[in-house]
């Protein structure tokens, strides 16, 4: 942790409560359509449709891993005091099954909500925290134990185009993103 700058985008939709729902995606490889761009597109869409409600909602675009670590370092006390649910969005544009990577505890508020919602899907995968590998591991690690899940379609690393030039606009579509 040396002095420097970490660029990120943050939008806060203030609610009636200081308690927060944090929705995160990352901005490190924007040329990769499913791995990166799909989460950015969902965050952008949410920024237009979410309105003030009971909880404060924070939409965050950060570099993966190092961005999460820097964000946690600078916002730890607010996260520890006010975070009631965290969602990491990754690989949400392909046609794979809806996949939830549960939090470390597997029984948080966001785990319970996501299980209720995913129950309705015919194609789904539910993975425990051992299958982590994105920003949910920084926010949800044993030292922090913040209530964080990842929502994706095909999990990062589980599709052949992952982290290659083949992760392009041909593997995502608007219908999948809207769903």
């Amino acid at each position: 942790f040396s002095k420097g700058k970490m660029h990120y985008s943050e939008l806060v939709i203030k609610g009636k409560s200081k308690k927060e729902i944090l929705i995160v995606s990352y901005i490190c490889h924007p040329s990769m359509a499913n791995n990166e761009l799909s989460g950015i597109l969902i965050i952008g869409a949410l920024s237009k449709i979410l309105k003030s409600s009971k909880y404060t909602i924070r939409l965050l675009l950060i570099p993966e891993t190092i961005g999460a670590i820097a964000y946690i370092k600078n916002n730890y006390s607010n996260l520890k005091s006010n975070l009631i649910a965290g969602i990491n969005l990754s690989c949400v544009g392909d046609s794979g099954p809806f996949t939830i990577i549960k939090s470390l505890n597997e029984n948080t508020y966001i785990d319970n909500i996501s299980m209720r919602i995913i129950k309705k899907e015919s194609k789904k995968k539910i993975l425990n925290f051992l299958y982590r590998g994105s920003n949910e591991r920084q926010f949800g690690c044993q030292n922090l134990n913040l209530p964080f899940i990842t929502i994706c379609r095909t999990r990062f690393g589980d599709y052949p185009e992952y982290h290659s030039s083949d992760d392009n606009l041909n593997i995502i579509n608007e219908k999948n993103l809207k769903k």
Side-chain angles (χ1 to χ4, degrees):
F1 292 106
S2 59
K3 291 194 181 225
K5 291 184 179 180
M6 177 69 62
H7 296 283
Y8 62 87
S9 174
E10 180 178 43
L11 173 67
V12 177
I13 303 165
K14 290 197 182 268
K16 294 176 185 145
S17 169
K18 283 186 177 182
K19 297 297 183 185
E20 284 191 13
I21 297 169
L22 175 59
I23 305 172
V24 179
S25 195
Y26 30 89
I27 52 174
C28 27
H29 310 310
S31 64
M32 294 181 204
N34 195 39
N35 182 59
E36 288 304 302
L37 183 59
S38 65
I40 294 168
L41 291 170
I42 299 299
I43 295 278
L46 290 173
S47 75
K48 292 181 175 191
I49 62 172
L50 291 175
K51 304 289 183 225
S52 182
S53 63
K54 179 177 180 179
Y55 299 118
T56 294
I57 300 169
R58 186 176 305 266
L59 303 175
L60 183 64
L61 293 170
I62 53 179
E64 187 180 20
T65 307
I66 191 68
I69 292 167
Y71 187 83
I72 291 165
K73 180 183 184 295
N74 292 329
N75 297 282
Y76 178 73
S77 72
N78 181 56
L79 288 166
K80 205 65 178 159
S81 301
N82 294 316
L83 187 69
I84 61 162
I87 301 168
N88 180 59
L89 298 173
S90 176
C91 305
V92 290
D94 70 317
S95 60
F98 279 101
T99 303
I100 304 287
I101 301 172
K102 295 176 105 182
S103 74
L104 181 63
N105 290 335
E106 295 192 0
N107 65 347
T108 65
Y109 179 61
I110 191 60
D111 286 298
N112 296 333
I113 290 171
S114 65
M115 290 304 103
R116 262 197 334 251
I117 293 169
I118 201 170
K119 219 190 300 186
K120 300 171 187 170
E121 296 299 321
S122 58
K123 289 177 23 180
K124 60 185 164 262
K125 270 189 176 176
I126 300 166
L127 302 171
N128 70 33
F129 193 72
L130 293 176
Y131 291 91
R132 69 197 178 278
S134 184
N135 279 333
E136 78 283 346
R137 72 184 159 203
Q138 280 70 249
F139 287 98
C141 70
Q142 301 89 319
N143 295 343
L144 300 177
N145 201 18
L146 296 170
F148 238 87
I149 65 166
T150 286
I151 296 175
C152 49
R153 293 286 205 147
T154 307
R155 189 179 75 97
F156 35 84
D158 288 350
Y159 61 98
E161 301 88 356
Y162 177 70
H163 265 237
S164 77
S165 58
D166 289 334
D167 186 348
N168 57 45
L169 294 174
N170 293 327
I171 66 169
I172 67 172
N173 68 57
E174 187 176 357
K175 179 181 148 204
N176 294 336
L177 291 166
K178 283 183 176 180
K179 185 129 171 91

